[in-house]
Amino acid sequence: MSKTAVSTENAPKPPAKFSQAVRKGNLLQVAGQVAFDPATGAIVGDDVAGQTRQTFKNIEAVLAEAGSSLADAIMVRVYLTDTAHFAPFNEVYNELIGDAPHAARTTVYVGLPGELLVEIDVLCVLD
C-alpha cells in the first residue's frame, strides 16, 4: 500500500520538505496548518479566534482536495502559544468542528514562529 501526497493551492505551501497531507489506505494525516493566507503568505487574524478561523479554512481546503471533510476526523491536535487562548480558541473550535460525534482532541502549549498563535493537525479515516 503506497502513500500519496495531497496538495492544493487553496492552502499554504509547507515551509519544509513535507506534504500538506498524506494518505495511506483509508488514513489521511493533515500536516499542521497555521493561519497563513495561501495567496499572500501573510498571517490572517491578530488574535487566536481570527487565526483559528483561517487555520480551519486551510485544513478544510486540504481535506476537500483529498475528498474528505472534518466529519472524517478522528483526532485533532491543537498547539496554542498561551493558556489564556484556550477559552477563545474553544469558542471558535466548537462553532467550526461540526456535529457530533466529535473527534478526540489534544491541546498542547508550545512556542510557534513569529506572530502565530495556533497550529492544528488532523487525522482522518476515510470510507
Side-chain angles (χ1 to χ4, degrees):
M1 188 178 320
S2 64
K3 292 191 296 186
T4 305
V6 176
S7 181
T8 177
E9 296 293 320
N10 297 320
K13 296 211 178 303
K17 193 174 179 179
F18 59 88
S19 303
Q20 291 168 325
V22 173
R23 181 174 182 169
K24 185 167 184 178
N26 67 339
L27 294 178
L28 176 68
Q29 176 65 54
V30 178
Q33 298 293 308
V34 294
F36 290 141
D37 180 294
T40 67
I43 295 173
V44 176
D46 56 1
D47 63 7
V48 73
Q51 288 192 22
T52 299
R53 288 183 190 288
Q54 181 62 41
T55 300
F56 267 99
K57 282 183 186 177
N58 295 338
I59 290 166
E60 289 170 337
V62 175
L63 290 172
E65 184 68 24
S68 184
S69 73
L70 287 170
D72 293 323
I74 60 166
M75 180 62 187
V76 177
R77 280 176 291 266
V78 177
Y79 306 91
L80 296 174
T81 59
D82 190 326
T83 57
H85 294 157
F86 191 73
F89 168 82
N90 271 336
E91 285 182 36
V92 176
Y93 179 88
N94 289 338
E95 173 189 329
L96 299 177
I97 195 63
D99 294 328
H102 295 105
R105 187 181 106 191
T106 300
T107 303
V108 180
Y109 297 97
V110 298
L112 294 172
E115 301 298 314
L116 291 169
L117 303 174
V118 60
E119 181 175 344
I120 302 170
D121 70 270
V122 178
L123 176 64
C124 294
V125 175
L126 311 179
D127 293 329

